[in-house]
Amino acid sequence: MDDVLSSDATEQASAVRDGRVSPRELVEAAIARIEAHDGELNAVIHRRFERALAELDAIPADAPFRGVPILLKDLGWPQAGEPYGAGSRTLDGVVVKEDGYGTARLRAAGFVVLGRTNTPEFGSTITTEPVAYGPTRNPYDPSYSAGGSSGGSAAAVAAGMAALATASDGGGSIRIPAALCGLVGLKPTRGRSSAGPSAGEGWSGFSCPGFVSRSVRDTAAALDLVSGYVQGDPYDAPRLPRPLAEEVGADPGRLRVGFVATHPRDDVPAVAELTEAVDVTAALLSELGHDVAPGCPEALGDPDFPLHFGAIVANNLAAEIESIGVWRGKPVELEELEPRNAAMVGAGRGHSAAAHILATQWIDGFRRRMAAWWASGYDLLLMPSLGVAPFPLGWIPPDDLSTAFGRTAHAVSFTAPVNATGQPSISLPLHRTAAGLPVGVQLVAAAGREDLLVRVAAQIEAARPFEHAALR
């Protein structure tokens, strides 16, 4: 069973179909691994083992992922009858009434939900250390952060508790924990998957649902399952020519790739581990036959970007707190929030509607300036997945807000711009620090081109198979 659990979800599904393992054996083995290892990592904060086992007999025999265990991030991805915490004490006692569209599609495909994973309060930072549930630890070194906001999902998958877990990305929250935990993490094009029925968009369209996984083919197959416009959604991504699973192994052709290892904004310091990771990947892409040269969109270096992006996030967080007050039947007081979020909510409440619209209009212009680079003839942009080196727990201090916000801004300097533009981006585990901690690099494509990302990522994976040293 260790070999099966250490394989990806695609192989686990194949093992069930071939009769090498039963769904019950697979789920029970995953439960045993969570019980054995999660006490140290604190990745799975809500467990539904008995209900998961009781659901097995009702899964159709022809479901493509029949009996394959999965974990859901406890931010977005609602499941009927289960609690929803979003990393916050303000939601104690809340139980969800209906599945989200994505959750329902995963369950219909035969996935078995074993529980919900840890996240920072409202997903507003790069490390998973909520007061409500405690810190999630990185399987590669438990003194280090697993990243955020999908840190619980990433730690669980890296440790072998499940081959696949759901995630979401509003400023890097798929790609950052994927990078820190040595996983594949694809942030889709805006509108590729629906956030409904309980939500239309997250953070004014910045946030997208997705997954963390151990293989490109798992990420592709999972995104195929949840993709598709639903009537009433505010966005609709360009249609893909065929399922992403069919792009795995397809020839990407000879591509023009620009790369940047040091952020063009003057306030973001260079980091040796990130430079090395990008240089190694650029050399690999060149060996694979692509045209690779230094270059990136000029707009990436705009010093005004953090101000406008941050204002929109703060405004959305303030609105979310108001809606939680309605949901639970009692207004949320700032004292109930962690200091970081209390400050952001206070800032959001201080912005006028006109200020929000002006910030949105600035982002609209930024998106067009960024898109012009791809329109000029580039296929991909290669850059770090994270703007800082792997960091220990506590590195984002809960009470020193100036330091916390400054470090967070550096960390998301390569990821947040792609949330603002709505483009797809994939983080790949292609490098390690001298201490053995994972360092990810990301590839960014034009809007709607997840197919190109999957082709190239699969090509890279075949040339340099990913190592998952944290599997337990």
Side-chain angles (χ1 to χ4, degrees):
M1 285 306 302
D2 280 347
D3 287 344
V4 176
L5 282 179
S6 297
S7 64
D8 67 1
T10 302
E11 174 59 24
Q12 290 182 11
S14 176
V16 170
R17 283 194 300 274
D18 296 346
R20 286 177 280 149
V21 62
S22 71
R24 183 168 296 275
E25 288 172 330
L26 186 56
V27 169
E28 287 178 343
I31 290 171
R33 186 169 284 189
I34 293 171
E35 291 177 330
H37 298 296
D38 197 45
E40 177 186 25
L41 299 181
N42 190 37
V44 185
I45 56 169
H46 171 67
R47 303 177 182 186
R48 58 182 311 273
F49 298 160
E50 291 184 4
R51 290 189 291 281
L53 289 167
E55 293 165 356
L56 288 173
D57 292 340
I59 301 174
D62 60 350
F65 286 92
R66 175 173 169 247
V68 175
I70 194 170
L71 293 163
L72 302 183
K73 179 180 180 179
D74 195 25
L75 180 65
W77 300 98
Q79 182 175 7
E82 303 298 333
Y84 185 88
S88 177
R89 297 169 293 186
T90 64
L91 288 165
D92 286 349
V94 169
V95 175
V96 173
K97 294 182 179 179
E98 61 182 337
D99 283 356
Y101 292 144
T103 302
R105 289 172 176 176
L106 292 172
R107 297 177 73 188
F111 281 106
V112 180
V113 179
L114 298 187
R116 301 185 67 80
T117 60
N118 204 8
T119 182
E121 187 178 60
F122 304 120
S124 63
T125 189
I126 59 163
T127 185
T128 301
E129 303 177 51
V131 171
Y133 298 100
T136 291
R137 301 181 180 277
N138 192 315
Y140 283 85
D141 183 335
S143 69
Y144 272 71
S145 173
S149 64
S150 307
S153 287
V157 172
M161 299 177 198
L164 187 74
T166 68
S168 56
D169 194 316
S173 289
I174 291 174
R175 292 159 290 164
I176 288 171
L180 291 174
C181 292
L183 302 174
V184 177
L186 193 158
K187 183 200 84 68
T189 297
R190 183 175 301 163
R192 179 64 66 204
S193 302
S194 176
S198 60
E201 61 178 1
W203 287 7
S204 295
F206 293 168
S207 184
C208 299
F211 301 88
V212 287
S213 75
R214 298 187 207 125
S215 67
V216 174
R217 66 179 183 177
D218 271 8
T219 287
L223 191 54
D224 282 336
L225 290 174
V226 300
S227 291
Y229 176 81
V230 178
Q231 290 294 329
D233 285 345
Y235 309 105
D236 186 10
R239 295 291 190 270
L240 293 166
R242 58 182 177 175
L244 288 174
E246 296 180 15
E247 304 294 352
V248 176
D251 185 2
R254 188 179 182 92
L255 303 176
R256 187 181 182 195
V257 182
F259 72 90
V260 58
T262 300
H263 203 282
R265 273 203 339 254
D266 292 338
D267 66 303
V268 182
V271 180
E273 294 94 336
L274 309 185
T275 300
E276 185 177 355
V278 170
D279 288 345
V280 166
T281 306
L284 175 59
L285 286 167
S286 182
E287 291 171 12
L288 292 172
H290 303 295
D291 296 321
V292 184
C296 69
E298 182 180 356
L300 185 65
D302 195 313
D304 292 332
F305 173 79
L307 174 66
H308 298 289
F309 183 89
I312 291 173
V313 172
N315 298 345
N316 276 270
L317 187 55
E320 183 174 1
I321 294 305
E322 296 299 322
S323 68
I324 288 173
V326 173
W327 192 11
R328 72 178 193 172
K330 182 176 68 173
V332 176
E333 303 296 334
L334 291 183
E335 292 75 19
E336 297 180 71
L337 305 176
E338 295 178 24
R340 172 191 71 257
N341 285 324
M344 293 175 69
V345 169
R349 288 174 175 174
H351 295 153
S352 68
H356 179 76
I357 291 171
L358 287 171
T360 300
Q361 290 173 341
W362 191 95
I363 292 293
D364 289 341
F366 176 81
R367 181 169 58 249
R368 295 185 188 281
R369 287 189 286 144
M370 288 282 285
W373 188 80
W374 278 265
S376 72
Y378 285 93
D379 297 297
L380 296 173
L381 174 61
L382 165 66
M383 53 187 182
S385 300
L386 181 64
V388 298
F391 53 90
L393 292 168
W395 187 72
I396 301 294
D399 299 318
D400 181 353
L401 296 185
S402 177
T403 298
F405 285 132
R407 288 178 174 176
T408 300
H410 291 164
V412 303
S413 57
F414 289 104
T415 52
V418 187
N419 295 89
T421 64
Q423 294 170 249
S425 174
I426 190 167
S427 180
L428 301 175
L430 290 173
H431 193 60
R432 299 277 177 86
T433 68
L437 293 168
V439 176
V441 295
Q442 65 173 325
L443 292 165
V444 186
R449 293 308 309 271
E450 287 96 328
D451 57 336
L452 184 57
L453 288 180
V454 168
R455 285 182 216 160
V456 175
Q459 182 187 45
I460 291 171
E461 184 181 28
R464 189 166 298 172
F466 307 143
E467 297 180 4
H468 302 293
L471 283 173
R472 299 179 176 213

